[in-house]
C-alpha cells in the first residue's frame, strides 16, 4: 500500500508540473522570459525542498534527456526543412562544427587559466558549454516569426551543433577514462559519430519520406505514429552503429519536413506537441537534479558567473563573427546571431554524461554548467525579443496554431 501511495505522489507531482508548465507557457506570451526557465528553476526548487525527487538518479535523468532530445531534434528538423537548411547551409555548418570547437577550446582555456581546472576537466567543461540548445532556441523563436536568414541560422545551428557537442564530449570522456589515450581518441570518436550519423540520417529520412508518400493507412493519425516510430528507428540504428543518433534524427527530420505527403499538417502538429512535452520533461528532470549536484562553496558560483559573462560577451561573439563574415547578413542580423547562443538542457545533459561516467571533477563541472545555463536562459533568452527590436531584426508573435 505504501508503494502505491508513493507512486501516486510521483503521478501527482508530474501532473502538477505539466499543469504549471502549461500556465507558464501562457505567461511567457506576456513576459519575455522563456518557458524553460520556469521549468528548470521551478523543478530545482522542488528537487531541493521536497522528497519526491530523492529517488531520481542522474542515470534516469540522462535517459529521459536523450529521449526528449530525440523528439525535440526531429521536430526542429521538420520545422526548418531541407530547403531552408540548404539556403543557409554554409553558416549553419560553420557555426555547428567550427564554432562549437572554437567555443569549447576558448572556454577550456579560460577555465584552466582563470580557475585552475586541470586540462581534461577544463575541456569537458568547455565541451558541455559549447552547444546552443534547440529546446530553448525553439521555445524563444518557435512562436515568433523572424524575417531574413538569422532565425533559420540560429535554429539550424542549435540543431546541428548538439550532435557535434555530444560527439566531442563522448570522445573527451573516453580520453579521460583511458590513461594511455591520446587526442586522436577524440578525433576518431568524433569522425565516426558524424560520418555514421550523417549516412543513417539521410537513408532514414529518405525512407521515411517514401513511406509517407506511398504507404496507405486506414487511419490518418497513424501517419504521425509512423514518423514517431521512424525517428526512433533512425536514432537506434545510428546509435547501435556507434554513430550520432542525434545528428541522424535531425537530418531525417529536415528531409521529412519537406515531404509532399498526405496529412503533413497533422504530422507537424503532432510532433510540435510532443516536442513541447519533451521540453517540459527534460528541463523539469534536469532541474530536479540540482540537489544531486552538491553545488558546494561560493567559489563555484563565482566561477559560473564569470564563465557565463565571458561566454556570452566575449567568447561567443569572437567565435561567431569570423564564421558569419561570408554570409549575406546585415550587421544587425550578425549581432543578433552572436547574442543568440542560448544554452539549455543539452549542456546540462552533457555534464550529466560526465557524472554517469564517473569522471573526476564531474560534480563541480555539473554545478558550474547548471548555473551558466540558468543565467543564459533567463538573461539571454529574456532579452532576445528586445535585441531583435534594437538590431532591426523583425520578430513578431506567430498566430495560434500556426507553424508557418
Amino acid at each position: 500500500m505504501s508503494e502505491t501511495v508513493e507512486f501516486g505522489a510521483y503521478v501527482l507531482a508530474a501532473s502538477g508540473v505539466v499543469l504549471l508548465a502549461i500556465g507558464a507557457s501562457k505567461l511567457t506570451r506576456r513576459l519575455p522570459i522563456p518557458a524553460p526557465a520556469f521549468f528548470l528553476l521551478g523543478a530545482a526548487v522542488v528537487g531541493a525542498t521536497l522528497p519526491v525527487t530523492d529517488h531520481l538518479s542522474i542515470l534516469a535523468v540522462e535517459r529521459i534527456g536523450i529521449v526528449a532530445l530525440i523528439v525535440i531534434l526531429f521536430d526542429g528538423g521538420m520545422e526548418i526543412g531541407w530547403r531552408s537548411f540548404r539556403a543557409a547551409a554554409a553558416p549553419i555548418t560553420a557555426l555547428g562544427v567550427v564554432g562549437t570547437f572554437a567555443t569549447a577550446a576558448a572556454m577550456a582555456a579560460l577555465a584552466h587559466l582563470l580557475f585552475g581546472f586541470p586540462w581534461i576537466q577544463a575541456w569537458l567543461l568547455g565541451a558541455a558549454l559549447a552547444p546552443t540548445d534547440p529546446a530553448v532556441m525553439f521555445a524563444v523563436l518557435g512562436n515568433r516569426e523572424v524575417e531574413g536568414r538569422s532565425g533559420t541560422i540560429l535554429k539550424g545551428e542549435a540543431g546541428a551543433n548538439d550532435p557535434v557537442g555530444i560527439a566531442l564530449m563522448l570522445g573527451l570522456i573516453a580520453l579521460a577514462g583511458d590513461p594511455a589515450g591520446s587526442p586522436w581518441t577524440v578525433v576518431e570518436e568524433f569522425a565516426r559519430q558524424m560520418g555514421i550519423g550523417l549516412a543513417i540520417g539521410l537513408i532514414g529520412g529518405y525512407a521515411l519520406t517514401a513511406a509517407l508518400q506511398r504507404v496507405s493507412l486506414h487511419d490518418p493519425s497513424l501517419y504521425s505514429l509512423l514518423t514517431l516510430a521512424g525517428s526512433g528507428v533512425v536514432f537506434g540504428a545510428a546509435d547501435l552503429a556507434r554513430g550520432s543518433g542525434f545528428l541522424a534524427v535531425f537530418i531525417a527530420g529536415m528531409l521529412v519536413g519537406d515531404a509532399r505527403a498526405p496529412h503533413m499538417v497533422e504530422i507537424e502538429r503532432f510532433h510540435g506537441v510532443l516536442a513541447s512535452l519533451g521540453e517540459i520533461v527534460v528541463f523539469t528532470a534536469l532541474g530536479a537534479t540540482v540537489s544531486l549536484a552538491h553545488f558546494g562553496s561560493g567559489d563555484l558560483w563565482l566561477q559560473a558567473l564569470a564563465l557565463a559573462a565571458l561566454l556570452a560577451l566575449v567568447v561567443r561573439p569572437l567565435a561567431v563573427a569570423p564564421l558569419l563574415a561570408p554570409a549575406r547578413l546585415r550587421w544587425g542580423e550578425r549581432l543578433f546571431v552572436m547574442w543568440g547562443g542560448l544554452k539549455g538542457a543539452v549542456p546540462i545533459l552533457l555534464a550529466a554524461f560526465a557524472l554517469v561516467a564517473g569522471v573526476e571533477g564531474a560534480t563541480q563541472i555539473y554545478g558550474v554548467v547548471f548555473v551558466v545555463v540558468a543565467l543564459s536562459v533567463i538573461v539571454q533568452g529574456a532579452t532576445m525579443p528586445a535585441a531583435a527590436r534594437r538590431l532591426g531584426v523583425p520578430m513578431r508573435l506567430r498566430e495560434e496554431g500556426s507553424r508557418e
Side-chain angles (χ1 to χ4, degrees):
M1 183 65 180
S2 61
E3 292 183 0
T4 304
V5 173
E6 182 177 306
F7 181 73
Y10 288 130
V11 173
L12 176 62
S15 302
V17 165
V18 173
L19 289 174
L20 291 174
I22 293 172
S25 67
K26 295 298 292 183
L27 186 62
T28 55
R29 295 188 70 87
R30 294 182 173 86
L31 298 176
I33 300 175
F38 293 100
F39 311 153
L40 186 69
L41 299 180
V45 172
V46 172
T49 57
L50 299 180
V52 72
T53 59
D54 285 350
H55 303 295
L56 187 62
S57 70
I58 196 68
L59 178 59
V61 170
E62 178 193 67
R63 291 172 176 171
I64 291 170
I66 289 173
V67 173
L69 192 55
I70 293 170
V71 174
I72 291 168
L73 284 174
F74 188 77
D75 176 69
M78 287 184 63
E79 186 172 347
I80 294 170
W82 188 252
R83 284 189 293 271
S84 296
F85 175 82
R86 284 190 304 175
I92 289 174
T93 303
L95 293 177
V97 180
V98 181
T100 301
F101 274 89
T103 303
M107 295 306 295
L110 290 171
H112 175 74
L113 296 174
L114 296 180
F115 301 112
F117 279 77
W119 271 117
I120 187 61
Q121 295 177 16
W123 266 103
L124 288 168
L125 178 60
L129 292 175
T132 56
D133 188 81
V136 176
M137 189 60 64
F138 298 151
V140 171
L141 300 182
N143 65 338
R144 292 177 171 89
E145 295 177 356
V146 181
E147 295 183 9
R149 303 171 70 199
S150 54
T152 300
I153 290 173
L154 282 172
K155 287 184 178 182
E157 178 199 8
N161 67 9
D162 286 339
V164 173
I166 291 169
L168 176 60
M169 175 61 87
L170 293 177
L172 289 168
I173 289 174
L175 177 62
D178 183 5
S182 72
W184 282 109
T185 302
V186 181
V187 175
E188 291 172 0
E189 178 74 21
F190 178 81
R192 184 183 67 249
Q193 290 224 11
M194 293 296 101
I196 294 174
L198 174 62
I200 293 181
L202 290 171
I203 294 170
Y206 283 120
L208 265 175
T209 299
L212 289 173
Q213 293 171 339
R214 299 176 185 177
V215 174
S216 178
L217 299 173
H218 69 280
D219 188 343
S221 63
L222 293 178
Y223 288 96
S224 298
L225 295 179
L226 172 65
T227 54
L228 176 61
S231 65
V233 169
V234 169
F235 177 86
D239 191 63
L240 288 175
R242 300 183 64 194
S244 173
F246 300 104
L247 178 61
V249 164
F250 183 64
I251 291 173
M254 286 193 294
L255 292 172
V256 171
D258 280 352
R260 295 181 178 178
H263 312 294
M264 282 302 299
V265 173
E266 290 82 0
I267 292 172
E268 290 174 353
R269 287 176 179 169
F270 174 80
H271 283 281
V273 170
L274 274 185
S276 296
L277 179 60
E279 174 191 309
I280 294 170
V281 170
V282 69
F283 275 96
T284 301
L286 290 169
T289 63
V290 67
S291 60
L292 303 178
H294 306 299
F295 280 86
S297 68
D299 290 343
L300 185 148
W301 292 92
L302 176 62
Q303 293 167 2
L305 289 169
L307 290 174
L310 289 168
L311 177 58
L313 300 175
V314 180
V315 174
R316 167 78 180 181
L318 291 179
V320 167
L323 301 176
L324 291 178
R328 296 189 301 274
L329 293 171
R330 294 182 292 102
W331 271 106
E333 293 175 313
R334 295 174 191 273
L335 294 173
F336 183 66
V337 173
M338 292 179 200
W339 182 243
L342 303 180
K343 309 304 173 183
V346 172
I348 301 177
L349 183 61
L350 293 182
F353 287 172
L355 269 179
V356 172
V359 175
E360 184 179 354
T363 299
Q364 183 182 10
I365 292 171
Y366 192 90
V368 170
V369 170
F370 190 96
V371 176
V372 171
V373 166
L375 291 171
S376 177
V377 174
I378 295 171
V379 178
Q380 287 180 275
T383 56
M384 284 289 283
R389 289 193 300 271
R390 295 293 294 271
L391 296 172
V393 178
M395 176 189 289
R396 64 185 178 85
L397 285 175
R398 182 177 291 169
E399 293 182 5
E400 294 286 350
S402 172
R403 284 177 62 114
E404 296 298 328

